[in-house]
Amino acid sequence: MISTFMYTAVVHLPASADGKGATVDQGVAALVGAAIGGATATLAALIAGRASRQQARAQHHLWRSQTRREVYTAYAAALDAAVDAIDPVRKQATKLLVAYLRPAGAVESVALELADEARAEERRQARELVDALRPFGAKAAVEGPEPVRAAVRRLTRHVGSYLDSCLATVESAAAFTDEALRSMAQETMNQSQQAVRRSRETFFEEVSHALKSEPLS
């Protein structure tokens, strides 16, 4: 507005009595006009550059959020598959411990059942899915941020410990003739399962916070 006013004012300056002022004023007006045009072009370029940077940041933010969401979702799916696969193994371990409370011969019968190929396949599948969880966890940890990274590592570790406690019970059938050992085995599995549940809740809380609060950068 000010530049346009100055340009208009210069163009309409009255000529001097001898007529020479008109030529000078027109020359000044041309210079002012050129300056105004240059300033306008520069300002337009700055505005365009700023808009371009803002758009680039917005696109980066969207890409970053989508990437993180995909990685987190893949980890969550692998997590559910691993935990679901542990459930049959937990049932095997519990069935074995309960057999010690039944009449003689019950333990041997259950141990023979757990040696069946179908039960052995359940244990193998659980191990494979828990092992498969680790690469997904590594990708999620790389995406971060730090609270999510820590939650993923802790949850992955607890899932592995939970399976280990169940397998140890199933594979050590002869070791549980003592009631104290049976109680210890049952408590270990319970604690491991609870640790998975708590860690899972923390993971989803941190993921939700990360996706909502990610800065535009």
Side-chain angles (χ1 to χ4, degrees), residues 145-163:
E146 183 55 37
V148 173
R149 184 178 297 112
V152 166
R153 289 172 176 169
R154 181 168 54 251
L155 178 53
T156 303
R157 184 174 65 254
H158 286 164
V159 171
S161 297
Y162 180 34
L163 175 61

Side-chain angles (χ1 to χ4, degrees), residues 24 31-34 36 47 50 64 66 80 86 102 108 121 140 149 155 170 191 201 207:
V24 174
L31 292 175
V32 172
I36 292 173
I47 294 174
R50 181 178 180 182
R64 185 69 169 171
Q66 289 177 338
D80 288 343
I86 295 175
R102 296 176 178 174
E108 289 76 8
E121 177 58 28
R149 184 178 297 112
L155 178 53
V170 172
Q191 291 179 352
E201 291 175 358
V207 164

Side-chain angles (χ1 to χ4, degrees), residues 64 68 71-72 135-145 149 152-153:
R64 185 69 169 171
R68 282 183 167 177
V71 171
Y72 296 157
F136 288 99
K139 291 180 180 179
V142 168
E143 286 300 320
R149 184 178 297 112
V152 166
R153 289 172 176 169

Side-chain angles (χ1 to χ4, degrees), residues 22-199:
T23 303
V24 174
D25 292 341
Q26 290 175 0
V28 172
L31 292 175
V32 172
I36 292 173
T40 301
T42 300
L43 182 59
L46 290 174
I47 294 174
R50 181 178 180 182
S52 178
R53 288 192 296 271
Q54 289 177 337
Q55 182 179 8
R57 284 196 297 269
Q59 290 176 342
H60 175 74
H61 171 65
L62 178 61
W63 171 81
R64 185 69 169 171
S65 295
Q66 289 177 338
T67 300
R68 282 183 167 177
R69 190 180 299 276
E70 290 172 0
V71 171
Y72 296 157
T73 300
Y75 176 78
L79 170 67
D80 288 343
V83 173
D84 288 346
I86 295 175
D87 284 344
V89 184
R90 172 65 187 270
K91 291 178 181 178
Q92 291 181 25
T94 300
K95 189 172 185 177
L96 178 61
L97 294 176
V98 171
Y100 278 97
L101 303 177
R102 296 176 178 174
V107 173
E108 289 76 8
S109 176
V110 172
L112 184 62
E113 177 187 340
L114 297 185
D116 181 76
E117 180 59 29
R119 303 289 79 76
E121 177 58 28
E122 288 177 344
R123 297 193 293 275
R124 283 195 295 270
Q125 184 176 19
R127 172 55 67 191
E128 289 176 359
L129 289 174
V130 170
D131 289 343
L133 177 63
R134 294 188 176 92
F136 288 99
K139 291 180 180 179
V142 168
E143 286 300 320
E146 183 55 37
V148 173
R149 184 178 297 112
V152 166
R153 289 172 176 169
R154 181 168 54 251
L155 178 53
T156 303
R157 184 174 65 254
H158 286 164
V159 171
S161 297
Y162 180 34
L163 175 61
D164 290 341
S165 67
C166 295
L167 288 175
T169 301
V170 172
E171 295 169 357
S172 305
F176 295 108
T177 54
D178 183 80
E179 183 179 353
L181 291 178
R182 293 197 300 273
S183 297
M184 184 181 299
Q186 186 68 50
E187 182 63 21
T188 299
M189 289 190 295
N190 289 339
Q191 291 179 352
S192 297
Q193 185 178 37
Q194 291 171 6
V196 170
R197 288 174 179 171
R198 290 193 297 269
S199 297

